[in-house]
Amino acid sequence: MTSPAIAFWFRRDLRLEDNAGLWHALNDGRPVIPVFIFDREILDQLPQKDARVAFIHQQITFLQEKLAQMGSTMLVAYGTPESVWERWAVEYPLQAVFTNHDYEPYAQTRDAAIATQLAQKGIQFHTYKDQVIFEKKEVLTQASAPYTVFTPYSRKWRDGLNPDTLRVWETETVFNHFWKSETLPVPSLQQMGFQPTDIPFPDPVPDIQIISSYDKTRDFPGLKGTSRLGIHLRFGTISIRALVRTALKHNQTYLNELIWREFYMQILSNFPHVATGPFKPNYAAIPWRDAPEELERWKQGKTGYPLVDAGMRELNATGYMHNRVRMVVASFLSKHLLINWQEGEAYFAEKLLDFELSSNNGGWQWAAGCGTDAAPYFRIFNPESQLKKFDPQAKYVRKWVPEFGTPLYPKPIVEHTFARERCLTAYKSALGGG
């Protein structure tokens, strides 16, 4: 290829349709080379059998097949972004790189470095908003400050909706602007040191029946009452704008959950210290217990609390945990066991298919009481009453804890009343009485 071209860098937007940055690239007028980098800065930290890597690989292969039908192909590399772009800048006549914004700390640092690297070669770097409806400082208080409480944020967020914020980026009308090339190979999982997974991935197509009844079924883990679209939002295999339009039409409670996702994203953007510590700094003084054996029993789902154990076993087996149960197991670790919430945050980050730094961090800080819109520290979930309320027939528990109700099931790791009092004492001493 000798004529001037631009590249579109796929990251957390693994789809051809309704993709903002891709639309801008395809409408630029120059041939567009789609590219993807299996980033070793991220992958080298992961276990060999990470289902998320398998999911990404599956989607890249799928995109490659769709591009081949158009007479095009994607450049797919395995390496560090800096080394890959150094090579591509020599091998291809690139004048610009287009991509979509990413808000996580590593991604921000990476993009700044790549923009500088490309600029030194005379290559422009353009990024666009795609994975959220509103970002960074687009939803502000009357004092022009970021919101730190969810309810007023959600009202302002809804007020900002209009046809432009929910527009469809009609990329398919300009697919003929992809560069023409024979299909190039995609590195195999094995070549990158990874193994296939036997964990099934949920369908990316929203189930309208589930979304329509979401407000009635979402709290009951024994029912098929949640959309399971988290992984598709995480990697952009579904458009957030399309999903918001669906939620507006079918269920306001479901829409609220999508707003929570954006609330935590803007918290991470505007208060980046939450990635490494509590939103409320005084909560760093809580005297967490060093209890590695209890932490391990929590991870394995052997605490003697059925709902907690079912949730952890579901997570370990499938990479998914029901949202109501996530709150219970997070509260249990940070309050019943008084183990640092960051231990749980890290374990979820390792296991969840839909792991999103902002939402995972926000959820854990909420459970520990140290976040933005947090529950008061003295609100401590009782796992037994949660079980009676949300899984009264133990349908969910029996699926994941078959020895429940038999002598093989372990006794509770800690007694609830004792744990509650220990937690309250610890928090009060650290916070000066609250």
Side-chain angles (χ1 to χ4, degrees):
M1 181 180 189
T2 56
S3 60
I6 60 177
F8 179 76
W9 186 7
F10 285 93
R11 287 106 64 97
R12 292 189 45 178
D13 47 11
L14 304 182
R15 66 189 188 283
L16 298 179
E17 297 77 18
D18 192 14
N19 182 320
L22 181 58
W23 184 91
H24 282 92
L26 290 168
N27 279 278
D28 175 84
R30 292 167 284 187
V32 175
I33 305 174
V35 305
F36 182 83
I37 300 170
F38 282 100
D39 185 350
R40 290 196 62 173
E41 298 284 0
I42 298 171
L43 299 189
D44 286 357
Q45 303 174 46
L46 302 178
Q48 286 186 330
K49 201 164 186 178
D50 191 299
R52 293 165 297 194
V53 179
F55 176 83
I56 294 169
H57 190 269
Q58 173 184 290
Q59 189 62 21
I60 293 301
T61 302
F62 173 65
L63 291 179
Q64 192 71 302
E65 291 169 355
K66 292 181 75 171
L67 287 162
Q69 294 170 6
M70 303 177 205
S72 185
T73 192
M74 182 185 291
L75 297 181
V76 184
Y78 169 61
T80 64
E82 289 85 352
S83 64
V84 172
W85 281 113
E86 190 70 31
R87 187 174 83 245
W88 282 343
V90 172
E91 294 177 357
Y92 297 92
L94 297 177
Q95 294 185 337
V97 173
F98 286 61
T99 192
N100 286 311
H101 300 335
D102 196 338
Y103 308 102
E104 296 186 0
Y106 164 71
Q108 298 270 297
T109 302
R110 174 201 63 203
D111 286 359
I114 295 300
T116 300
Q117 178 184 350
L118 293 173
Q120 291 169 350
K121 300 180 184 301
I123 301 172
Q124 297 175 323
F125 189 69
H126 304 289
T127 72
Y128 300 88
K129 179 178 68 172
D130 182 72
Q131 62 174 286
V132 293
I133 305 300
F134 299 110
E135 64 177 4
K136 300 176 184 177
K137 291 182 168 62
E138 288 189 331
V139 179
L140 297 173
T141 67
Q142 289 187 332
S144 298
Y147 281 97
T148 59
V149 177
F150 174 74
T151 300
Y153 170 86
S154 68
R155 284 196 291 264
K156 191 76 171 284
W157 189 99
R158 288 170 184 264
D159 288 344
L161 291 180
N162 59 53
D164 189 55
T165 58
L166 297 178
R167 68 171 289 179
V168 180
W169 297 96
E170 296 179 339
T171 49
E172 61 273 14
T173 63
V174 277
F175 278 167
N176 60 313
H177 291 170
F178 281 121
W179 73 313
K180 303 307 176 188
S181 170
E182 61 191 29
T183 302
L184 297 173
V186 175
S188 69
L189 283 172
Q190 291 80 357
Q191 286 174 323
M192 296 186 292
F194 289 90
Q195 301 172 14
T197 181
D198 52 4
I199 290 179
F201 301 125
D203 195 307
V205 180
D207 185 319
I208 300 303
Q209 186 173 348
I210 286 176
I211 291 176
S212 296
S213 58
Y214 181 79
D215 56 313
K216 302 177 184 66
T217 60
R218 68 178 182 134
D219 279 319
F220 301 92
L223 300 177
K224 190 178 179 182
T226 60
S227 72
R228 298 294 299 272
L229 293 174
I231 187 173
H232 298 291
L233 283 172
R234 173 67 178 90
F235 295 111
T237 45
I238 187 172
S239 161
I240 181 60
R241 292 172 295 279
L243 196 55
V244 167
R245 288 194 298 270
T246 298
L248 281 166
K249 184 176 180 181
H250 295 285
N251 197 287
Q252 293 298 312
T253 303
Y254 188 76
L255 177 63
N256 224 42
E257 292 303 300
L258 298 178
I259 303 174
W260 268 108
R261 172 179 173 268
E262 299 209 356
F263 174 71
Y264 283 139
M265 278 195 171
Q266 66 89 25
I267 289 293
L268 181 62
S269 289
N270 294 306
F271 306 94
H273 72 275
V274 298
T276 55
F279 177 81
K280 300 172 183 173
N282 57 332
Y283 277 70
I286 293 171
W288 302 112
R289 297 174 61 241
D290 181 22
E293 290 183 8
E294 293 181 18
L295 175 62
E296 190 59 29
R297 284 183 64 176
W298 175 83
K299 288 179 178 180
Q300 297 304 318
K302 297 179 179 179
T303 68
Y305 282 88
L307 191 58
V308 173
D309 293 344
M312 296 308 295
R313 295 188 198 185
E314 180 185 31
L315 174 65
N316 292 331
T318 69
Y320 170 79
M321 189 192 298
H322 187 276
N323 188 56
R324 165 61 57 176
V325 185
R326 292 187 198 197
M327 291 191 288
V328 175
V329 303
S331 174
F332 186 85
L333 181 74
S334 57
K335 292 183 174 175
H336 276 70
L337 300 185
L338 205 60
I339 292 174
N340 192 334
W341 59 271
Q342 290 172 298
E343 295 277 5
E345 180 194 20
Y347 193 69
F348 272 30
E350 178 187 332
K351 294 290 183 180
L352 281 172
L353 287 178
D354 62 9
F355 166 67
E356 183 120 60
L357 173 57
S358 52
S359 295
N360 189 48
N361 178 273
W364 272 96
Q365 295 218 32
W366 184 92
C370 61
T372 55
D373 206 41
Y377 72 80
F378 46 81
R379 185 184 302 166
I380 300 171
F381 281 116
N382 181 333
E384 292 295 344
S385 60
Q386 289 284 307
L387 174 63
K388 290 175 184 175
K389 186 173 182 180
F390 297 111
D391 191 29
Q393 297 174 318
K395 181 180 177 182
Y396 172 74
V397 162
R398 292 184 190 283
K399 177 178 180 179
W400 295 107
V401 188
E403 74 274 25
F404 171 62
T406 77
L408 295 175
Y409 188 62
K411 294 286 191 290
I413 193 172
V414 66
E415 195 270 325
H416 170 68
T417 302
F418 165 79
R420 184 176 186 280
E421 290 305 315
R422 178 176 66 182
C423 174
L424 291 174
T425 300
Y427 272 62
K428 284 177 183 176
S429 68
L431 303 173

